[in-house]
Amino acid sequence: MQIRLVLTNTHSKANAEAAQLGSTGEATAKFISDARELIDYYTNIHWKKMSLQATIQDRMEDQNANTYGRNKGRTYPDDDAGELVEQLRPRGLDDRY
């Protein structure tokens, strides 16, 4: 579960940082996030042998984190992206993440 929370925080922060760069950054972040989720979808089913339900749940959680980050970054372009998505950060996570 800890790894899942770290990834959620990382996805969200990266999307917030990109959205803070403006509409092009936000669009690029959405494109990359969507592409990554398509690859993860395939990988989860065919290589990791996850169930369809677990794969869909994973994708939804990642996309929610991505969208949350982009929304925060767009709304608060001058704030620290890490602080914007702090609520998704696991307690005790090393500051470098």
Side-chain angles (χ1 to χ4, degrees):
M1 187 58 148
Q2 182 75 3
I3 291 173
R4 180 88 207 116
L5 292 173
V6 170
L7 289 175
T8 299
N9 177 259
T10 304
H11 287 221
S12 188
K13 183 179 176 186
N15 276 271
E17 289 171 343
Q20 288 177 322
L21 299 174
S23 59
T24 301
E26 184 174 357
T28 301
K30 182 170 180 3
F31 177 82
I32 291 170
S33 295
D34 290 347
R36 179 180 173 120
E37 290 310 316
L38 284 174
I39 292 167
D40 284 352
Y41 184 85
Y42 179 86
T43 300
N44 289 344
I45 289 177
H46 296 288
W47 287 353
K48 294 181 180 179
K49 304 297 184 195
M50 290 172 61
S51 70
L52 180 59
Q53 182 178 359
T55 299
I56 290 170
Q57 181 67 30
D58 177 71
R59 186 176 183 179
M60 287 174 37
E61 288 173 3
D62 285 350
Q63 289 291 42
N64 287 340
N66 295 336
T67 300
Y68 179 82
R70 285 193 302 271
N71 288 341
K72 286 290 189 175
R74 180 183 344 101
T75 304
Y76 304 100
D78 298 321
D79 291 2
D80 180 81
E83 291 177 10
L84 293 176
V85 298
E86 184 71 26
Q87 75 179 41
L88 301 177
R89 183 180 180 77
R91 189 174 306 161
L93 181 64
D94 191 305
D95 288 340
R96 66 184 161 176
Y97 300 108

